[in-house]
């Protein structure tokens, strides 16, 4: 399985927050949770406890821990208890290239890529299931036909979808070999000191909050992650960067930019949804808040995608336009800087 496939399977889902009843007798936590969680095996519960996905009163416990009255238990597991079949939905797709073997779609911000806990419908995969029949599924990736990679819900841009097994295998190998060319445009707070640079820093689940990705510069945790960046526009308080990925880790650009000290504009999860650079003047604060309203998401767009067609062996290169919200905020920043010199 490719790195990308592992990333697809690496989501975390907070299933339950349980307050143990005052009259609860002492009971092993794995048995207690077996009675409380639907469609989850005891082995999965035990594995989740050992991997730190189950916390009691905010702390890790062992599978033989006995729950006490008043305990607060939070449960997060790598895979949600799925009790729904994939529902084909007539959702329009922005298809920018298609042949008998694959297609490339331009995903809007706000669309989840595949069904998951609390998002069983309205996803890109639901739309694919309606518009295309018998799309292949990567091994271990059941219920997500056609997918070889993904982008975050609130990231816009290009995704390649496989229509045949041969195309899927060929694309998966290119992702595994890191030969897929992917360029993202990111609006970040501040301006990096170096006009061009490479961030070669491990990323992985945060040891404090497993829902987010953290950087581990000492290399003691996480997986190798490499992002090349170039400053395209210096707008004093923010800058437009071009980011090229060598690896495809979950939230890689978002975590790397935070590590660099330049979080993505309006990225709430990684510290970009507040004023990081700029003045203390009320007029400036109002300007930034207006920008946040225009683009209520992280400023990240998967702009280009390049690969060797797995069947024809010809080079495919797709370039997408910045979506309206991104382009409008960028133009607003340009005008602001031009009129405050």
């Amino acid at each position: 399985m490719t790195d990308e496939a592992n990333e697809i399977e690496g989501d975390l889902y907070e299933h339950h927050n349980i307050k143990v009843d005052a009259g609860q007798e002492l009971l092993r936590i794995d048995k207690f949770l077996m009675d409380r969680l639907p469609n989850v095996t005891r082995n999965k519960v035990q594995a989740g406890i050992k991997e730190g996905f189950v916390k009691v009163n905010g702390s890790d416990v062992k599978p033989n821990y006995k729950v006490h009255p008043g305990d607060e238990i939070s449960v997060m597991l790598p895979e949600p208890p799925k009790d729904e079949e994939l529902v084909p939905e007539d959702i329009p797709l922005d298809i920018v290239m298609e042949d008998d073997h694959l297609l490339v779609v331009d995903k809007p911000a706000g669309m989840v890529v595949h069904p998951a806990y609390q998002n069983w419908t309205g996803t890109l995969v639901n739309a694919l299931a309606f518009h295309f029949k018998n799309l292949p599924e990567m091994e271990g990736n059941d219920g997500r036909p056609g997918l070889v990679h993904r982008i975050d819900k609130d990231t816009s841009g290009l995704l390649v979808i496989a229509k045949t097994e041969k195309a899927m295998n060929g694309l998966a190998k290119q992702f595994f070999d890191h030969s897929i060319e992917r360029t993202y445009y990111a609006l970040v707070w501040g301006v990096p000191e170096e006009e061009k640079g490479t961030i070669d820093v491990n990323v992985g689940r945060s040891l404090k909050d497993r829902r987010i990705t953290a950087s581990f510069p000492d290399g003691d945790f996480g997986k190798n992650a490499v992002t090349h960046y170039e400053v395209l526009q210096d707008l004093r308080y923010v800058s437009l960067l071009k980011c090229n990925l060598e690896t495809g880790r979950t939230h890689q650009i978002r975590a790397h930019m935070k590590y660099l000290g330049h979080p993505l504009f309006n990225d709430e999860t990684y510290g970009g949804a507040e004023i990081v650079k700029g003045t203390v003047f009320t007029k400036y604060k109002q300007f930034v808040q207006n920008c946040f309203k225009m683009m209520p998401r992280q400023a990240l767009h998967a702009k280009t995608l390049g690969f060797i067609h797995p069947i024809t062996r010809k080079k495919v290169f797709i370039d997408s336009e910045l979506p309206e919200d991104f382009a409008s905020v960028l133009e607003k920043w340009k005008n602001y800087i031009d009129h405050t010199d």
Side-chain angles (χ1 to χ4, degrees):
M1 187 181 297
T2 69
D3 286 341
E4 291 290 340
N6 282 320
E7 296 303 342
I8 288 173
E9 294 203 303
D11 289 325
L12 289 173
Y13 304 88
E14 186 162 0
H15 296 289
H16 296 279
N17 285 303
I18 303 170
K19 179 75 175 283
V20 180
D21 295 337
Q24 174 66 47
E25 63 181 36
L26 297 182
L27 184 67
R28 279 177 57 116
I29 190 167
D30 53 357
K31 292 183 178 179
F32 175 83
L33 291 177
M34 277 293 296
D35 294 333
R36 294 295 188 100
L37 302 181
N39 305 320
V40 175
T41 65
R42 186 173 181 182
N43 285 342
K44 192 160 191 175
V45 169
Q46 289 178 335
I49 294 170
K50 290 175 182 176
E51 292 172 14
F53 297 122
V54 176
K55 294 185 183 297
V56 178
N57 304 321
S59 300
D60 294 339
V61 294
K62 295 182 178 179
N64 62 358
Y65 173 84
K66 290 184 170 58
V67 298
H68 292 69
D71 277 349
E72 294 189 3
I73 305 171
S74 62
V75 182
M76 300 168 67
L77 296 173
E79 284 294 328
K82 183 173 180 180
D83 56 4
E84 298 190 28
E85 293 299 317
L86 177 62
V87 179
E89 293 181 81
D90 187 6
I91 302 170
L93 291 173
D94 184 1
I95 299 174
V96 295
M97 176 255 176
E98 182 183 1
D99 62 21
D100 291 339
H101 311 284
L102 55 84
L103 65 143
V104 176
V105 299
D106 197 343
K107 185 189 82 68
M111 175 182 270
V112 176
V113 170
H114 58 76
Y117 184 61
Q118 295 183 335
N119 285 296
W120 293 117
T121 61
T123 75
L124 175 66
V125 165
N126 293 107
L128 291 171
F130 179 87
H131 295 288
F132 302 95
K133 307 303 179 187
N134 303 317
L135 292 178
E137 293 184 1
M138 194 176 292
E139 184 180 352
N141 208 19
D142 295 343
R144 297 164 187 175
L147 288 194
V148 243
H149 68 132
R150 69 162 201 188
I151 56 179
D152 296 333
K153 171 188 174 183
D154 289 325
T155 298
S156 52
L158 299 174
L159 281 162
V160 59
I161 307 296
K163 294 172 71 173
T164 65
E165 290 281 355
K166 189 172 182 180
M168 174 163 280
N169 292 335
L171 290 168
K173 186 176 189 310
Q174 290 181 63
F175 275 108
F176 182 78
D177 293 338
H178 306 311
S179 60
I180 297 273
E181 298 173 34
R182 286 173 292 169
T183 298
Y184 289 73
Y185 274 22
L187 187 67
V188 304
W189 281 106
V191 183
E193 290 184 14
E194 302 292 333
E195 186 176 329
K196 293 183 180 181
T198 295
I199 308 169
D200 188 351
V201 174
N202 279 21
V203 298
R205 292 204 211 301
S206 167
L207 302 179
K208 297 179 180 178
D209 184 347
R210 288 177 173 270
R211 287 168 291 188
I212 67 174
T213 296
S215 296
F216 298 97
D218 295 333
D220 46 351
F221 294 101
K223 295 179 181 179
N224 171 250
V226 181
T227 304
H228 305 285
Y229 72 87
E230 177 183 352
V231 178
L232 297 180
Q233 294 183 30
D234 176 345
L235 298 171
R236 191 185 305 161
Y237 304 130
V238 297
S239 54
L240 179 67
L241 305 188
K242 178 174 72 172
C243 298
N244 290 91
L245 295 183
E246 273 194 31
T247 53
R249 311 303 183 195
T250 298
H251 295 185
Q252 177 174 318
I253 292 175
R254 300 168 70 186
H256 270 173
M257 287 303 130
K258 180 180 181 181
Y259 166 77
L260 202 63
H262 300 283
L264 296 186
F265 187 77
N266 210 12
D267 189 345
E268 184 175 1
T269 303
Y270 292 92
E274 56 191 40
I275 296 177
V276 178
K277 302 285 184 181
T279 71
V280 296
F281 298 121
T282 301
K283 185 178 179 181
Y284 176 73
K285 292 179 180 178
Q286 290 174 342
F287 165 78
V288 173
Q289 289 300 324
N290 286 336
C291 287
F292 283 163
K293 290 177 182 177
M294 290 174 65
M295 192 179 192
R297 63 172 179 110
Q298 70 262 8
L300 188 62
H301 177 68
K303 193 169 192 309
T304 73
L305 190 61
F307 55 90
I308 302 300
H309 194 290
I311 310 301
T312 68
R313 308 308 300 169
K314 293 181 179 179
K315 178 69 182 287
V316 176
F317 183 81
I318 309 291
D319 188 351
S320 65
E321 295 292 328
L322 282 178
E324 183 179 354
D325 61 347
F326 199 138
S328 297
V329 165
L330 187 59
E331 189 63 30
K332 195 174 180 70
W333 271 104
K334 290 179 190 174
N335 291 335
Y336 182 84
I337 297 303
D338 287 344
H339 289 90
T340 54
D341 284 336

